[in-house]
Amino acid sequence: VEYRDMLDENIEKTANDMFHGTAVSSIIVDGPRLNPDLDDGCGNFKVRHFGVATAKAFSSFSIIKMIREIISQNRDIHVWNLSLGSNDEVNQNFISAEGAILDQIQFENDVIFVIAGTNLSFGETIIRPIGAPADSINSIVVNSVDKDNQPSSYSRKGPVLSFFIKPDISYYGGDSRNLMKVCTPNGEAFVKGTSFAAPWISRKLSYLINILGLSRDIAKALLSHSSTGWYRQQTDQSLVGHGVVPIRIEDI
């Protein structure tokens, strides 16, 4: 992992600020060794990790501005994992400014974002709509399911603008019965959240694009297609999207 701190040097940082990003990176680098039951056959990946926010509240517009700058300076990276999002709900009538800018960035730079579908807050029981930038149309938005392929208890729902299917797909992000094992600055930890489902999809997408040489459109289509079956989906599409992506890369 190559780490680059993009935050102003005057912003005070604590050890807690490093927990989430390190955990996400550990899945991209070596997720199958941490979680053998999710061995996807994709191997290991290099990560260029950009610190754009602390664990506390952050300005989404500042982050989007940084993302635009980062991507313009790192043309060799095609797959970008964004495990962050707003606690507020997206508007039913228009795409968020953050989502629209990410769509523009992807179009102009031939890159693709994998975005976590955002989570309910601790103790929430009423399922709310997803938060920005998970309403980005061109990105792959990932929600979480449990081992039985049922929506996780913390999942938020789509669609976007009433007809765009969001989330696009779902994957395993840990739940109260089967937490996800990750590496943090303090060693091993067990977590759950859509933030930890997204990096597994980033691994698969990077394999399809960087190893097999597929275009981002074909790679995205393959992921969506592999998540669907021959029979009508019984699970609410607003919670799981097209379906759950297979674990093994050869099944995709």
Side-chain angles (χ1 to χ4, degrees), residues 132-165:
D135 59 342
S136 165
I137 303 302
N138 295 335
S139 302
I140 297 181
V141 178
V142 184
N143 254 19
S144 176
V145 292
D146 61 22
K147 292 294 184 181
D148 298 321
N149 289 355
Q150 296 302 306
S152 298
S153 58
Y154 47 79
S155 294
R156 291 165 70 173
K157 64 180 182 179
V160 169
L161 294 184
S162 76
F163 55 86
F164 283 110
I165 295 176

Side-chain angles (χ1 to χ4, degrees), residues 16 21 33 48 51-52 64 77 128 132 135 138 158 162 171 178 181 187 191 216 242:
N16 189 45
R33 188 152 62 131
R48 202 169 299 160
V52 296
I64 296 298
I77 300 177
R128 296 188 291 115
D135 59 342
N138 295 335
S162 76
Y171 202 68
N178 294 282
K181 186 190 289 186
V191 297
R216 61 184 177 129
H242 291 288

Side-chain angles (χ1 to χ4, degrees), residues 26-48:
S26 72
I27 293 176
I28 300 177
V29 172
D30 205 11
R33 188 152 62 131
L34 294 163
N35 303 273
D37 56 326
L38 293 177
D39 185 359
D40 50 20
C42 294
N44 303 101
F45 290 92
K46 294 179 180 178
V47 171
R48 202 169 299 160

Side-chain angles (χ1 to χ4, degrees), residues 137 139-143 145 149 163-171 220-246:
I137 303 302
S139 302
I140 297 181
V141 178
V142 184
N143 254 19
V145 292
N149 289 355
F163 55 86
F164 283 110
I165 295 176
K166 293 290 171 180
D168 293 273
I169 52 181
S170 290
Y171 202 68
K220 180 180 179 181
L222 268 177
L223 284 176
S224 297
H225 179 71
S226 70
S227 70
T228 63
W230 289 107
Y231 304 102
R232 180 179 177 85
Q233 184 171 279
Q234 300 300 313
T235 310
D236 188 349
Q237 194 175 55
S238 69
L239 291 171
V240 299
H242 291 288
V244 182
V245 175

